[in-house]
């Protein structure tokens, strides 16, 4: 999935990436925060920061950086209330916020938090502000519980985003504002081609890693061969770890037994796979008795596929014995619905495509691995722009794909818990620009979907403009699109006029994701 990334406006500070490689731990964290404020993503600066530190300092630096980012705007408001005069120097503000994080959220000893933060100001050549920094931190240290309550009272988002979320989610607003400030749980998707989820859960116990089984039920009202809708129930199972754990501490991770994937993200592949199975079953039911429906080549698309988590999950489902397109139980007999699956994955950024290859390689799902199985699966990964790319190439017909998974570009507001830099990097203008980009992709891909095919629209946004409102606008442009309804047995998300929306409200839930399944009814 692509994420838009826009640097904050009117920012003259331009720290170079090597600045975070020098100085004390706190200095490196401050310089990292300055780089983020200048438009660099957390993903691009976190590894250089941690790799520059001794192992004993990495945990503290990671906690200090992530916690400061999660509480960023709340700390800013607190700082403004503590200062007699406006503090305009970004370096000074950032240094004080790092000190406040230690006192209010990390329970660092007062003398250490204050002394080391003041020394950090000297290291970054802002010694003239040490008196101010010392005074503010000492004031907070006298009554940290009071100032913590003041900091926690409201949201920690830019005002424009908080306002929009209140407009979109008035009933859930208070819980959502607090939920976005918390760390996200770590979920695992087990590769059932390698092991069962129950066996892997037991293997985790042997590695002293505790995890709970999570089951999400999805009901879809899919059309059948009688032109009526029937409920199709899908159960998606994952594991939620009690504590986040390094992947090298997970059993058989390097050999593809499991992947780190948010629980709500794990819904994507089962949803589009179930819709595809329904399409093929309808075609099979409608065929004449003497028609060999197994001699059937299908084409499917994963658009905006990087880094490849949902693509890998879909490949696992396609090739597994339980839900395979090649191994389906009908009337107490196993039949093959297809003879060959051609899966195309596109993304417009070459470095991110390399991550797709790396992920598939670890999961034994590369094209070479697929060729070694009895499944006839052809995987084609293309670096291309989804707003203009044509799957048919120069061929006359544009009707190419039986199913499309569109993991659409978005502002990624639903994953702020994991990427708290998003609240700093995003602007109000980004939402409008992203919505236009989403529409361009939809209008390019929809004509390439075959009649009877399905398109699953997915975002990790919690803004309605990018989600349900995008779908409502899209459907006004076509008379051959129907929104598939989710039935009442869904145990995740909030029903929308079209699709369902997940919100990251509590410490055990998945991230903010939106799902809408569209059915093409005619040319």
């Amino acid at each position: 999935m692509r994420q838009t990334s826009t640097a904050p406006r009117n920012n003259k500070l331009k720290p170079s990436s090597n600045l975070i490689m020098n100085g004390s731990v706190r200095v490196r964290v401050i310089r990292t925060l300055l780089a983020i404020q200048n438009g660099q993503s957390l993903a691009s600066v976190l590894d250089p920061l941690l790799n520059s530190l001794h192992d004993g300092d990495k945990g503290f630096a990671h906690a200090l950086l992530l916690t400061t980012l999660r509480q960023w705007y709340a700390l800013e408001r607190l700082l403004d209330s503590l200062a007699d005069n406006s503090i305009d120097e970004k370096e000074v503000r950032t240094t004080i916020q790092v000190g406040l994080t230690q006192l209010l959220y990390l329970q660092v000893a007062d003398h250490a938090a204050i002394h080391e933060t003041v020394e950090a100001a000297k290291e970054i050549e802002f010694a003239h502000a040490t008196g101010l920094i010392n005074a503010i931190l000492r004031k907070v240290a006298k009554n940290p519980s009071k100032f913590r309550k003041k900091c926690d009272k409201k949201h920690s988002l830019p005002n424009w985003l908080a306002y929009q979320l209140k407009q979109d989610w008035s009933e859930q607003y208070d819980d959502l504002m607090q939920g976005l400030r918390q760390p996200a749980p770590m979920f695992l998707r087990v590769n059932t081609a390698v092991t069962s989820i129950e066996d892997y859960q037991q293997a985790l116990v042997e590695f002293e890693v505790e995890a709970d089984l999570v089951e999400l039920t999805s009901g879809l009202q899919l059309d059948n061969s009688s032109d009526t809708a029937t409920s199709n129930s899908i159960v998606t199972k994952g594991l939620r770890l009690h504590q986040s754990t390094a992947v090298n501490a997970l059993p058989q991770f390097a050999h593809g037994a499991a992947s780190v994937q948010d629980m709500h993200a794990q819904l994507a592949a089962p949803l589009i796979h179930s819709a595809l199975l329904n399409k093929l079953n309808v075609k099979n039911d409608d065929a004449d008795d003497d028609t060999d429906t197994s001699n059937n080549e299908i084409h499917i698309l994963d658009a905006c596929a990087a880094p490849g988590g949902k693509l890998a999950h879909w490949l696992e489902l396609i090739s597994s014995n339980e839900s395979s397109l090649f191994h389906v139980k009908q009337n107490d007999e196993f039949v093959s619905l297809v003879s060959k699956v051609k899966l195309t994955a596109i993304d417009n950024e070459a470095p991110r495509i390399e991550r797709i290859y790396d992920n598939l390689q670890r999961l034994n799902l590369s094209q070479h691995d697929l060729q070694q199985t009895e499944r006839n699966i052809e995987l084609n990964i293309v670096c291309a722009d989804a707003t203009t790319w044509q799957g048919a190439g120069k061929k006359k017909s544009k009707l190419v794909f039986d199913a499309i998974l569109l993991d659409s570009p978005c502002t990624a507001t639903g994953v702020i818990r994991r990427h708290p830099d998003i609240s700093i990097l995003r602007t109000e203008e980004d939402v409008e620009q992203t919505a236009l980009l989403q529409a361009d992709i939809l209008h390019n891909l929809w004509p390439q979907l075959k009649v009877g095919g399905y398109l699953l629209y997915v975002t990790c946004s919690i803004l309605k403009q990018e989600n349900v409102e995008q779908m409502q606008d899209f459907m006004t442009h076509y008379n051959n699109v129907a929104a598939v309804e989710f039935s009442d047995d869904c145990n995740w998300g909030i029903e929308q006029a079209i699709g369902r929306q997940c919100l990251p409200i509590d410490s055990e839930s998945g991230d903010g994701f939106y799902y809408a399944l569209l059915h093409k009814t005619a040319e």
Side-chain angles (χ1 to χ4, degrees), residues 401-416:
F401 299 106
D402 295 273
I404 298 175
L405 169 57
L406 172 54
D407 193 4
S408 182
C410 68
T411 54
T413 47
V415 294
I416 284 177

Side-chain angles (χ1 to χ4, degrees), residues 67 71 74-75 100-108 147-148 151-152 181:
T67 306
Q71 313 303 333
L75 292 171
L100 292 173
T101 298
Q102 296 169 70
L103 293 172
L104 300 181
Y105 292 99
L106 298 185
Q107 287 76 52
V108 176
F147 290 106
R148 169 71 184 262
C151 211
D152 289 347
R181 300 175 70 168

Side-chain angles (χ1 to χ4, degrees), residues 27 30-31 95 115-131 133:
V27 165
I30 290 168
R31 286 174 170 157
T95 301
H115 174 74
E116 294 299 330
T117 303
V118 169
E119 290 301 308
K122 296 177 184 177
E123 284 191 63
I124 63 171
E125 300 181 358
F126 278 79
H128 67 275
T130 54
I133 295 169

Side-chain angles (χ1 to χ4, degrees), residues 220 222 271-272 275 454-457 482-484 486 515-519:
L220 293 174
L222 295 169
L271 287 173
I272 189 61
Y454 292 90
L455 185 150
L456 180 65
Y457 178 80
V484 175
F486 289 84
Y515 286 96
L517 184 63
L518 305 180
H519 185 211

Side-chain angles (χ1 to χ4, degrees), residues 411-438:
T411 54
T413 47
V415 294
I416 284 177
R417 297 183 305 175
R418 300 184 192 280
H419 305 281
D421 56 317
I422 287 170
S423 63
I424 295 176
L425 296 176
R426 297 294 177 265
T427 67
E428 195 168 2
E429 292 78 13
D430 291 336
V431 182
E432 184 68 32
Q433 294 171 4
T434 301
L436 293 173
L437 174 61
Q438 293 171 336

Side-chain angles (χ1 to χ4, degrees), residues 210-472:
E210 293 183 277
D212 296 323
L213 178 65
V214 180
E215 294 189 8
L216 299 182
T217 301
S218 307
L220 293 174
Q221 297 289 339
L222 295 169
D223 290 342
N224 62 28
S225 57
S226 303
D227 295 326
T228 59
T230 57
S231 181
N232 187 9
S233 187
I234 311 153
V235 177
T236 304
K237 296 181 180 181
L239 294 173
R240 180 179 57 238
L241 303 191
H242 289 191
Q243 292 185 331
S244 295
T245 304
V247 294
N248 57 15
L250 300 175
Q252 294 296 306
F253 185 87
H255 297 92
S259 296
V260 178
Q261 187 178 38
D262 181 76
M263 196 64 222
H264 290 154
Q266 293 184 41
L267 292 164
L271 287 173
I272 189 61
H273 188 69
S274 181
L276 177 59
L277 278 171
N278 182 76
K279 176 185 184 297
L280 296 174
N281 276 315
V282 168
K283 182 177 179 180
N284 191 36
D285 291 342
D286 290 344
D288 296 333
D289 291 340
D290 58 352
T291 301
D292 182 8
T293 57
S294 66
N295 186 22
N296 180 23
E297 181 177 284
I298 65 167
H299 296 235
I300 56 181
L301 173 67
D302 185 344
C304 309
K310 298 177 183 68
L311 171 65
H313 195 186
W314 201 0
L315 281 169
E316 290 170 8
L317 294 176
I318 291 170
S319 57
S320 74
N321 284 330
E322 292 184 0
S323 58
S324 173
L325 305 176
F326 302 95
H327 197 69
V328 181
K329 193 171 185 179
Q330 291 183 344
N331 299 323
D332 296 326
E333 293 183 1
F334 284 98
V335 299
S336 176
L337 294 179
V338 300
S339 60
K340 184 174 186 177
V341 174
K342 287 188 175 182
L343 197 165
T344 302
I346 66 171
D347 199 273
N348 72 336
E349 297 180 16
R352 287 168 59 80
I353 284 181
E354 288 302 314
R355 291 187 62 193
I356 296 179
Y357 285 115
D358 291 342
N359 284 330
L360 294 182
Q361 188 75 30
R362 182 183 65 83
L363 293 166
N364 303 307
L365 291 169
S366 68
Q367 181 59 59
H368 173 75
D369 296 318
L370 296 173
Q371 288 173 345
Q372 307 307 306
T373 69
E374 61 184 30
R375 316 302 190 200
N376 193 357
I377 304 172
E378 179 183 314
L379 175 63
N380 187 27
I381 302 174
V382 181
C383 186
D385 185 344
T387 64
T388 57
W389 178 79
Q390 295 292 311
K394 296 181 179 180
K395 295 179 181 179
K396 197 170 184 180
S397 173
K398 284 189 174 183
L399 299 174
V400 179
F401 299 106
D402 295 273
I404 298 175
L405 169 57
L406 172 54
D407 193 4
S408 182
C410 68
T411 54
T413 47
V415 294
I416 284 177
R417 297 183 305 175
R418 300 184 192 280
H419 305 281
D421 56 317
I422 287 170
S423 63
I424 295 176
L425 296 176
R426 297 294 177 265
T427 67
E428 195 168 2
E429 292 78 13
D430 291 336
V431 182
E432 184 68 32
Q433 294 171 4
T434 301
L436 293 173
L437 174 61
Q438 293 171 336
D440 287 344
I441 294 174
L442 282 163
H443 290 304
N444 180 53
L445 296 182
W446 185 253
Q448 302 183 56
L449 183 67
K450 294 179 182 177
V451 175
Y454 292 90
L455 185 150
L456 180 65
Y457 178 80
V458 187
T459 79
C460 59
S461 171
I462 51 177
L463 295 173
K464 290 190 176 183
Q465 185 175 351
E466 299 175 88
N467 298 335
V468 62
E469 292 174 6
Q470 180 72 263
M471 289 292 94
Q472 290 171 317

